[in-house]
Amino acid sequence: MDYYDAELQKHRLDEGITRRGGFQLPLCDDARPCVDGRCPSCCACLDSYVREFLGGPEALARPWTRLAVAFDPTGSGEEGASPFDLGKIKGNMVHLSLSLQTPNSALIGTFGILSGRAGTGGGTRLAIEICATGCKDGLEKFVGDHLESQYKCNIQPLPLFLQGATSHRPILAEGLLCGYMERNLTAPDAAKPIGDEKLLVDLAQSYGQHIHADRLVTHGLVSGRGGITFAPGILPPLFRTSRHDQWAKMMGRSENV
């Protein structure tokens, strides 16, 4: 999602919240991003930061395995329900990261709500996407078995959309960090930003309050002012804390978001 899509989505979300009430988003501007996980602008900025690393020479020099799955932990498939338990899925993602770690591996895992495009199944799902290098074979079965044991529901693999690239190219195609995306859940398809005002508000309520980097799990990587780089054996997340001045200055805003 580019800068203009994110800003338009943020405007529609703010208007919808004003009309419907019930909750508020923190103030956010270019000088001091709010880094709230429900803010389309800040989330698109974080997504761009991760994609910049994955599209760079250091990441492209390694073979990667990619996986994306969706599931409905509530069984309802409806928008506007109680907030998803993001803490539980974060714990499961950390468990998967640790289980997949080898001495020289790296992993980027993201999760968020993915809405089924109208006419292609509809409804909403909690989705995760993993890009990993140096991980074990059978990634899809390993992840699916773990999630099924935790949620007791059907885990739906998302057909990979690779834009003509090989399966070994690192790519986060689902845009889950952006927060509000839709796609065909049953066929290879590019995720697209949601524009419907009511749906945006419903999904923001389903997310509940959180920091955007809470939906990002990694190992084998570190972050600095020069960007993300490989760091074999590193366990801590890229960002130990997200709500501080250094993070805001590092992320900033640009026309390339």
Side-chain angles (χ1 to χ4, degrees):
M1 180 161 64
D2 64 24
Y3 178 86
Y4 299 102
D5 285 333
E7 289 295 295
L8 178 60
Q9 206 175 58
K10 177 68 161 57
H11 177 70
R12 288 175 175 167
L13 178 58
D14 286 341
E15 286 192 334
I17 292 172
T18 299
R19 274 192 271 271
R20 297 178 60 184
F23 69 102
Q24 291 182 321
L25 293 180
L27 295 177
C28 181
D29 57 43
D30 290 352
R32 191 172 181 82
C34 69
V35 303
D36 191 289
R38 299 163 297 176
C39 173
S41 298
C42 287
C43 291
C45 191
L46 176 61
D47 180 74
S48 177
Y49 183 68
V50 174
R51 287 172 186 267
E52 183 178 358
F53 162 72
L54 289 173
E58 191 176 5
L60 291 174
R62 296 192 183 194
W64 293 73
T65 301
R66 178 181 165 240
L67 165 75
V69 300
F71 57 102
D72 181 4
T74 69
S76 69
E78 298 178 356
E79 298 88 14
S82 299
F84 284 113
D85 186 349
L86 297 186
K88 180 177 180 179
I89 187 61
K90 177 67 175 283
N92 283 312
M93 291 288 286
V94 171
H95 170 83
L96 290 170
S97 175
L98 292 175
S99 299
L100 293 168
Q101 187 173 24
T102 62
N104 293 307
S105 68
L107 177 143
I108 295 178
T110 66
F111 61 94
I113 300 173
L114 195 61
S115 180
R117 190 166 297 150
T120 63
T124 59
R125 303 288 187 274
L126 194 60
I128 73 169
E129 185 170 19
I130 292 174
C131 284
T133 180
C135 70
K136 64 180 72 173
D137 294 332
L139 178 63
E140 184 173 302
K141 184 178 188 307
F142 176 76
V143 172
D145 288 348
H146 174 74
L147 293 175
E148 283 183 357
S149 70
Q150 293 295 306
Y151 290 97
K152 313 298 181 186
C153 65
N154 181 53
I155 307 301
Q156 174 186 355
L158 293 175
L160 300 182
F161 179 77
L162 296 171
Q163 297 177 301
T166 68
S167 60
H168 294 298
R169 180 186 177 214
I171 182 171
L172 289 171
E174 305 305 330
L176 299 178
L177 283 177
C178 293
Y180 307 96
M181 306 295 285
E182 65 175 2
R183 62 106 92 191
N184 185 335
L185 300 178
T186 60
D189 192 18
K192 297 181 179 179
I194 292 170
D196 181 82
E197 181 182 291
K198 180 182 182 301
L199 180 54
L200 287 171
V201 176
D202 286 340
L203 294 179
Q205 290 177 311
S206 293
Y207 271 116
Q209 185 175 7
H210 68 289
I211 305 303
H212 62 359
D214 286 344
R215 288 190 280 114
L216 176 65
V217 174
T218 67
H219 72 243
L221 300 167
V222 294
S223 176
R225 291 192 177 274
I228 301 170
T229 59
F230 287 108
I234 290 293
L235 288 173
L238 284 179
F239 315 112
R240 294 175 184 270
T241 179
S242 301
R243 198 182 292 277
H244 57 74
D245 291 340
Q246 182 180 2
W247 166 247
K249 290 177 181 178
M250 179 177 68
M251 290 303 297
R253 296 289 175 80
S254 75
E255 296 298 317
N256 296 320
V257 172

